[in-house]
Amino acid sequence: MDIERIPDRFGICRHSKKPSEEAVHPQPSEPYGAAHCLLTPTTPSRTRCVTRFAACLLLSMLAAASVSANQLPERSSLRVVGSTTVQPVMEAVAARIAEPLGVAAAIRGGGSNVAVSAVCDGTADVGMVSRARAVEECRDAAWTTIGYDGVAVIVHQSNPVRTLSRDEIRSLYTGQTRRWTLSGFDHPVVLVSKAPERGTLAVFEDYSGLVSPARDGAARAGAGANAGLIAPTAWESGANLESILWVAGSVGGIGFVSLADARGAMEAGMPIRVVDVDWVAPTIATIADGTYALVRPLILVHRTGNARAQAFVMMTRSDAAKEIIREAGFVPAEAAP
């Protein structure tokens, strides 16, 4: 059956912010349409999603993986938590390098901010972070950069736009530009943003000079008086795949995700496309030499004095680990200036 009705066990739909009525709502009949919530008439308290089965299943798996740090296994395994961008690399390092040496690691997502909090409060051994370190953040921890990733701006495959400047991106994400008005392409803009705990959002905010309205008052004040706000009508997604699904299901969609994940989605047939930013294409070369604007470090964080965590982090400095980082579409730390 093409469309299935399945329980929203992990609150995926409830956590997505509804856009304005003017926006294009991805419909279940569209390819890769994102989840829509309905209240079942006979049981109004039960929220259910109507979507393509594969898309909902993938999102459910992501949500299941993104558990809080205190749900991780017992002390017998290293507890590794955080960025879903870094997660596949660490899973490969664990399987191909650590486990053959007798080192077990339980790896979960959750976001960069979750990683830092979990390491600082001792509920995780290693945190995976995909953004720069904030001032005064977890000062008694060691921060090790293992590589670099580009944050790609993506649109629907049918959108003819090829490049966007910083000013154009700001105009789109503040809601000033509400429609794509290109030759033969006239559709409402559907904005896809990120939840505050996601490292991808921090990179986008630094580049654009915009701040998510979901940030607390202190964070918004710290961004400066000239910082604008991302339009409150933007969808807030979690993991990169969720953003990709929204853009793939919205003809007027635009979002920002890990370049490696965007490439993987396109190779899998997702109807999205990566656009140039400030007339520079995001490639391994432009990320490595710094000419592409949206670049972020991939970092592992652990408390100083945690010998088990330090040994695991040191495994990522090996030639075998660097090859894993390259295979994932990232730039190893030593390859960047």
Side-chain angles (χ1 to χ4, degrees):
M1 185 174 181
D2 191 35
I3 298 175
E4 296 287 341
R5 183 183 293 264
I6 64 174
D8 182 21
R9 296 181 182 177
F10 306 109
I12 296 167
C13 295
R14 293 192 299 274
H15 294 166
S16 294
K17 185 183 293 183
K18 186 177 181 180
S20 67
E21 293 301 321
E22 185 179 358
V24 174
H25 291 241
Q27 297 298 316
S29 58
E30 294 179 2
Y32 312 103
H36 285 249
C37 290
L38 298 176
L39 291 178
T40 306
T42 55
T43 55
S45 63
R46 297 182 64 187
T47 304
R48 292 178 179 270
C49 293
V50 177
T51 186
R52 285 183 179 272
F53 179 76
C56 245
L57 180 60
L58 283 169
L59 290 176
S60 298
M61 291 169 64
L62 283 170
S66 300
V67 296
S68 61
N70 59 12
Q71 292 175 282
L72 293 174
E74 296 299 324
R75 190 67 178 168
S76 58
S77 296
L78 272 171
R79 301 163 299 175
V80 184
V81 65
S83 167
T84 53
T85 297
V86 184
Q87 184 178 349
V89 172
M90 290 301 98
E91 289 171 344
V93 168
R96 291 159 57 176
I97 301 175
E99 289 178 8
L101 297 175
V103 178
I107 302 171
R108 299 289 186 270
S112 295
N113 289 4
V114 170
V116 177
S117 297
V119 170
C120 286
D121 65 22
T123 53
D125 297 296
V126 178
M128 303 175 290
V129 178
S130 54
R131 58 164 173 78
R133 181 181 186 178
V135 177
E136 302 295 322
E137 189 174 30
C138 204
R139 297 184 65 182
D140 59 345
W143 293 64
T144 303
T145 300
I146 64 169
Y148 294 90
D149 177 34
V151 173
V153 176
I154 60 172
V155 296
H156 192 271
Q157 189 178 56
S158 63
N159 191 328
V161 67
R162 298 298 172 186
T163 187
L164 290 169
S165 68
R166 179 177 179 272
D167 287 343
E168 288 170 328
I169 291 172
R170 281 178 57 90
S171 182
L172 287 163
Y173 267 90
T174 56
Q176 182 178 350
T177 298
R178 295 176 176 269
R179 297 189 70 87
W180 299 101
T181 53
L182 303 167
S183 177
F185 189 83
D186 185 359
H187 293 277
V189 173
V190 179
L191 300 174
V192 182
S193 185
K194 286 277 194 172
E197 67 272 13
R198 299 291 171 170
T200 317
L201 175 62
V203 177
F204 181 80
E205 288 174 327
D206 288 343
Y207 166 76
S208 66
L210 302 177
V211 180
S212 169
R215 297 283 190 198
D216 60 32
R220 288 164 63 174
N226 295 326
L229 281 180
I230 293 174
T233 53
W235 291 90
E236 280 181 13
S237 76
N240 287 317
L241 179 57
E242 190 177 350
S243 295
I244 290 168
L245 287 169
W246 279 116
V247 174
S250 308
V251 175
I254 181 172
F256 46 90
V257 299
S258 164
L259 176 60
D261 285 343
R263 284 177 169 168
M266 289 188 291
E267 290 172 1
M270 287 279 193
I272 64 167
R273 192 162 47 75
V274 173
V275 301
D276 296 353
V277 174
D278 295 324
W279 299 275
V280 177
T283 65
I284 295 298
T286 58
I287 292 169
D289 65 20
T291 55
Y292 182 68
L294 281 80
V295 176
R296 58 178 173 174
L298 307 178
I299 300 172
L300 297 181
V301 184
H302 71 279
R303 293 286 289 270
T304 55
N306 186 333
R308 296 169 70 242
Q310 183 177 359
F312 181 78
V313 171
M314 288 304 296
M315 293 178 187
T316 66
R317 315 298 289 176
S318 67
D319 289 341
K322 292 173 187 175
E323 184 58 31
I324 291 172
I325 292 169
R326 291 189 188 94
E327 289 173 1
F330 304 126
V331 178
E334 289 75 8

